Amino acid sequence: MNARALPPVAGGFFDALETRPPAEREAAQSQALARQVAHAQRAAPAYATLLAGVDAGTVTSRQALARLPVTRKHELLERQRAARASDPFGGFAAAVRGPALPRVFASPGPIYEPEGATRDYWRTARALFAAGLRSGDLVHNAFSYHMTPGAFIMEAGAHALGCSVFPAGIGQTEQQLQAIADLRPAGYVGTPSFLRILLEKAQESGSDVSSLRRALTGGEALPPSLRDWFAGCGVDVYQSYATADVGLIAYETSARQGLVLDEGVIVEIVRPGTGDPVPEGEVGEVVVTTLQPEYPLLRFGTGDLSALLPGPCPSGRTNTRIKGWMGRADQTTKVRGMFVHPGQVAEVMRRFPEAGKARLVVSGEMADDVMTLRVEAAARPAGLAERIGEGVREVTKLRASVELVEPGSLPNDGKVIEDARSYR
């Protein structure tokens, strides 16, 4: 298979929402947010409890949203397990059975996710369009069609865009290559690793996969070296960021400068272990609020790390951009037989207004653990380090030395707990 010149991505935008003034978007989403909070309180039993006493009419800004609790995946799983006999969604969905929820999926846990009946429920048509796919194209869908929603997330968007879909799924590489040669799809959706397997196998066997010119990948990181390798094979590859819980979160454009947030979600970046939004550019956990009524997740902690990028996308889309997937936010670590998690570090730091960012470093060797809490602090009143150390002991029941450092000196990587132990 020889390298092929890549055609340019066709211009234009999926819809007018992508280019509206940011202030207009913020106003529209704020109004939708208040309605969604009221709907969740009324229709989803879990939120009737979690948001008891909250006046939905006042939740009309990001500042008000930040005062609501974050629900993380382990909490969602716990509620689902507790209510499994009567409600597999743990009280978070507006319906449990019937035509409003045509499919139910399972992710590891197991966590069960509903699919609503609305067209392009997962909102992925926007990402497919940005990747250059258009109405009339045939899409080779190599996400799994077994139990998990990945394949259906992409298929729904492709159908909404006017594309036909070949449901390839995973595995059976030789049969997939035969289908590509026979059907000549214009695009691929799936993981980047499986796309590489297909292209390498095509090179070995001489299979004709020259029709594949576009790809929208997800589920894995796409390093620049692999993107360049795909380009050398004549395939222009774009990234999408979606989850089984909330659907599309962000997508890549022809600018290749971060991922643009989807129009159907409100995204915050918060300090891991807390619900506190961090400044632009600081790495933190991606927290998503959905605006669709079927599964109204509010401040859902994805467990993924990312950071907000400054300025608009050079493609002309005006929504906020994020850097993309930068690792996992769940840094719970066992120290001397006890679990320590980022929320405990945050609880300690809330006691000390003089303190800024903090990073708990666990060093030494297993069974000989040493905890050092490094804390950014401009003002350092006498005894601050000792008082913080006492706070650590009260919250975690473990001792830690405290090191005060200059503001801005801790790495901007989203880590609150760093496991630096030797495991030899």
Side-chain angles (χ1 to χ4, degrees), residues 359 372-377 380 385 401-405 410:
R359 187 184 187 98
T372 303
L373 184 64
R374 305 185 69 208
V375 180
E376 292 184 356
R380 302 180 186 183
S401 60
V402 176
E403 179 184 347
L404 302 179
V405 300
L410 295 180

Side-chain angles (χ1 to χ4, degrees), residues 160-176:
L161 192 58
C163 299
S164 299
V165 175
F166 179 73
I170 57 176
Q172 298 180 300
T173 307
E174 293 181 358
Q175 290 93 327
Q176 292 211 29

Side-chain angles (χ1 to χ4, degrees), residues 277-348:
V278 299
E280 183 180 89
E282 185 173 326
V283 178
E285 182 183 8
V286 178
V287 170
V288 181
T289 294
T290 64
L291 298 176
Q292 65 245 39
E294 297 92 341
Y295 197 37
L297 290 178
L298 305 173
R299 301 203 84 200
F300 178 74
T302 64
D304 295 327
L305 293 174
S306 193
L308 299 175
L309 290 173
C313 180
S315 70
R317 293 167 176 84
T318 58
N319 208 345
T320 305
R321 294 172 299 146
I322 59 175
K323 285 187 177 180
W325 186 83
M326 300 178 68
R328 293 292 294 168
D330 184 6
Q331 300 152 22
T332 299
T333 303
K334 183 175 279 190
V335 182
R336 299 174 213 151
M338 299 183 67
F339 284 107
V340 180
H341 55 81
Q344 290 175 306
V345 177
E347 183 179 344
V348 173

Side-chain angles (χ1 to χ4, degrees), residues 234-260:
V235 185
D236 198 13
V237 180
Y238 290 75
Q239 298 180 78
S240 64
Y241 173 31
T243 74
D245 311 280
V246 299
L248 183 68
I249 298 172
Y251 59 98
E252 194 171 26
T253 74
S254 57
R256 309 289 195 186
Q257 295 185 25
L259 305 183
V260 176

Side-chain angles (χ1 to χ4, degrees), residues 74-85 87-90 108-112:
H74 69 90
E75 296 167 312
L76 182 65
L77 176 58
E78 289 168 4
R79 284 183 173 270
Q80 286 196 0
R81 284 175 172 167
R84 193 143 287 170
D87 183 350
F89 310 120
I111 292 178
Y112 296 104

